[in-house]
Amino acid sequence: MQTACLVVRESRPLHGTTTLTGAKNAALVMMASLILTRGKSILYNVPFSTDIRHMAQLLQQLGAELFYDKDMQTLYVDTAHIRHYHVEYAMMKKMRASVLVMGPLLARFGTVSIALPGGCVIGDRPINYHLQSFEKMGAQITQVGEMISATISKAHSADIILEYPSVGATENILMLAVQTEGITRIVNAALEPEVLDFIVLLQKMGAHISIVPPATIEIEGVDELRPIEHTVINDRLEAGSLLLAAAITGGVIHLPNAPARSLELFLYKLQEMGHSVIIGQDNIGITLHATQEPKAVSFKTGPHPSFPTDLQAPMMVAQVVADGESVIEETVFESRLLHVRELQKMGAHITVEHNRAIVRGIEKLYGGPVIATDIRASCALVLAGLVAQGTTIITGIHHWRRGYHDLEGKLRHLGANIEIVGGQSIIFQDELRELKDVVL
Ligand code: EPZ
């Protein structure tokens, strides 16, 4: 079978309106948190991507029953019969977010065994903050090679100070603390929009959570959490990618359900480039009219509300074809500049010094064979292909499929010349048993 690849050809300015799907980085942790409940929950606006499929398979391995309605983008999950608390090695290695079942399994069973999720090209991505926090709450953790097991006879509340506002660690601690007697505090917590939406879901379950400025989360444990229905927030990263596609091709785009409030610094930087950005009422909805003479801007990634690291690679492409010099500093992951090499193959003028990329804007990029190294790098290469002369062939598109729900279809709808060639479409349904009676 031919290896699947994205084929992108030089496209005219993108024009039009499209909607967003649910945020992968909210949906994944929400799915894991359903382990805390015993019954049938429904998640709406769940993206159809391979990371979601893998999390569904993981929950199924633990004993959950799931049904995904692809047309409605709705996930039905029955957790009443979850009875396992060991996650298979192969499953842990499929997706880093699998570490997010540690907190809820510890809360439900008092024990869990996983394999280290492992690093990836963007960095080592250790889970020391997660493990240290669980130990502070009473867990006994042993590690043999890559296998980790944790047991907790009676979790106790604690003051947990995160030396870095880790998204995953904040979420994992939340899922143990919501059912731990007493008040647990997470100081220097991550407060990304996806974390805030996750807190709303936990509160719907019956959790007692409050946020104390500037970045402390206080959790008062409760005895039981109930199944819920929840609509996942729209994906701000998909919104950023679509806005950049219009900006880079010199077009006009309207995203009627885009969460502008969660992209403030990113939108400010687009305006600094000279693009016109109009925000809808109540900060919902974004319209971008691209300037034909974009000016290069510099930016530095960091924890929210700083510039999002997940938009660094796509935003770099906008600098590659802008006028002037841009200095881009990646501070969240230690090696998240691998897309530079691929952009250089297309003619980009970029030099890298440690975690900084210095970009000098050029007139034209040239299409050719390139390799996607992570989810957001795949998006950057697609954006570059839209304005590169000729055809760009992108392999490594499993990254693209991990992070986006038919983004290629949305880009095509806006006028992009893009298609997936070869390989097989994602088979979702046959890997999940249907729920018999989904009555809530
Ligand atoms: C989440 O990853 C997202 N993934 C990432 O999105 C996102 O880039 C990242 O948060 C930052 O916003 C999901 O939500 C599934 P972190 P996470 O813990 O939780 C270090 C994408 O493309 N660290 O905030 O793994 C870590 O190595 C993905 O959608 C430790 O040192 O990110 C990194 O340098 C990529 N020890 C920094 O903190 C720990 O125990 C931030 O990591 C945990 C993290």
Side-chain angles (χ1 to χ4, degrees):
M1 174 177 60
Q2 182 194 4
T3 307
C5 56
L6 276 157
V7 178
V8 186
R9 294 180 178 83
E10 186 171 12
S11 303
R12 57 179 172 76
L14 301 195
H15 277 82
T17 297
T18 188
T19 54
L20 301 172
T21 43
K24 159 183 87 82
N25 291 348
L28 287 171
V29 64
M30 290 174 178
M31 290 170 71
S33 74
L34 297 178
I35 294 169
L36 296 166
T37 66
R38 288 169 173 75
K40 298 185 177 90
S41 293
I42 306 179
L43 293 178
Y44 303 101
N45 201 28
V46 174
F48 175 71
S49 67
T50 46
D51 268 9
I52 296 293
R53 185 180 78 173
H54 288 150
M55 182 60 84
Q57 287 171 335
L58 194 169
L59 293 176
Q60 213 174 30
Q61 281 179 8
L62 298 176
E65 295 201 331
L66 299 99
F67 175 81
Y68 183 77
D69 180 334
K70 194 180 160 194
D71 297 331
M72 300 303 288
Q73 294 177 30
T74 299
L75 184 67
Y76 299 88
V77 185
D78 185 347
T79 55
H81 305 295
I82 287 183
R83 55 193 175 288
H84 301 297
Y85 37 77
H86 165 73
V87 182
E88 289 176 14
Y89 181 88
M91 178 51 74
M92 285 301 299
K93 293 302 179 185
K94 278 183 179 180
M95 175 186 58
R96 278 197 46 80
S98 41
V99 71
L100 295 173
V101 300
M102 270 198 93
L105 286 174
L106 270 177
R108 181 164 177 160
F109 295 108
T111 183
V112 57
S113 64
I114 65 166
L116 273 175
C120 56
V121 287
I122 64 176
D124 289 343
R125 303 182 75 180
I127 59 169
N128 54 320
Y129 302 154
H130 302 240
L131 302 180
Q132 289 159 7
S133 304
F134 290 147
E135 285 177 325
K136 281 195 82 170
M137 296 178 73
Q140 304 289 322
I141 293 179
T142 53
Q143 179 171 350
V144 177
E146 286 195 287
M147 299 313 292
I148 290 186
S149 56
T151 54
I152 199 162
S153 49
K154 183 162 176 32
H156 54 74
S157 58
D159 270 7
I160 293 168
I161 321 273
L162 289 177
E163 65 180 273
Y164 184 91
S166 155
V167 170
T170 299
E171 293 168 341
N172 239 337
I173 300 161
L174 272 166
M175 289 186 279
L176 178 57
V178 288
Q179 281 191 303
T180 297
E181 191 180 348
I183 292 182
T184 297
R185 298 170 64 243
I186 309 172
V187 182
N188 193 28
L191 295 174
E192 267 67 3
E194 295 77 18
V195 176
L196 298 180
D197 191 39
F198 176 49
I199 289 173
V200 169
L201 173 134
L202 291 173
Q203 289 168 329
K204 279 185 183 176
M205 285 181 177
H208 294 173
I209 302 172
S210 56
I211 296 173
V212 180
T216 294
I217 302 176
E218 286 191 353
I219 308 107
E220 184 182 6
V222 296
D223 291 336
E224 195 169 334
L225 294 168
R226 53 184 176 272
I228 43 88
E229 288 191 36
H230 184 78
T231 300
V232 180
I233 52 167
N234 289 320
D235 194 339
R236 62 186 173 123
L237 303 174
E238 183 189 36
S241 309
L242 287 161
L243 290 165
L244 281 166
I248 288 167
T249 57
V252 177
I253 189 171
H254 176 49
L255 302 176
N257 64 343
R261 183 59 60 82
S262 63
L263 286 167
E264 282 179 318
L265 184 51
F266 168 72
L267 296 175
Y268 171 77
K269 284 293 173 181
L270 288 178
Q271 290 170 318
E272 204 181 325
M273 292 186 74
H275 299 299
S276 157
V277 176
I278 302 153
I279 309 296
Q281 215 167 8
D282 304 327
N283 281 296
I284 299 297
I286 302 172
T287 301
L288 178 138
H289 293 256
T291 175
Q292 301 311 313
E293 294 172 349
K295 290 191 300 299
V297 297
S298 296
F299 60 95
K300 174 177 169 179
T301 68
H304 190 73
S306 296
F307 193 97
T309 176
D310 295 334
L311 285 174
Q312 178 256 103
M315 184 67 162
M316 181 183 287
V317 179
Q319 310 318 310
V320 165
V321 289
D323 178 31
E325 182 172 284
S326 158
V327 178
I328 298 170
E329 193 173 351
E330 171 57 54
T331 73
V332 177
F333 291 103
E334 64 267 32
S335 56
R336 199 174 201 176
L337 293 172
L338 294 179
H339 44 280
V340 167
R341 178 78 198 88
E342 303 306 309
L343 293 173
Q344 286 168 335
K345 287 181 193 171
M346 298 175 75
H349 286 197
I350 309 172
T351 52
V352 172
E353 295 165 6
H354 304 301
N355 65 333
R356 282 158 39 109
I358 293 93
V359 182
R360 217 158 23 81
I362 53 169
E363 288 292 317
K364 202 71 188 148
L365 284 170
Y366 299 91
V370 289
I371 303 167
T373 48
D374 68 272
I375 293 175
R376 310 305 168 178
S378 70
C379 179
L381 295 173
V382 165
L383 298 181
L386 294 177
V387 290
Q389 185 174 307
T391 301
T392 302
I393 314 275
I394 305 168
T395 51
I397 77 161
H398 56 288
H399 293 297
W400 174 265
R401 284 176 159 159
R402 281 189 53 213
Y404 302 104
H405 171 125
D406 190 26
L407 184 53
E408 67 277 8
K410 295 182 179 178
L411 290 168
R412 212 168 20 246
H413 165 75
L414 295 165
N417 189 333
I418 179 173
E419 57 181 327
I420 289 184
V421 173
Q424 61 178 26
S425 66
I426 302 176
I427 308 290
F428 194 88
Q429 215 43 51
D430 67 357
E431 296 191 15
L432 295 175
R433 290 190 298 278
E434 286 202 23
L435 271 187
K436 295 291 171 281
D437 53 340
V438 183
V439 178
L440 285 162

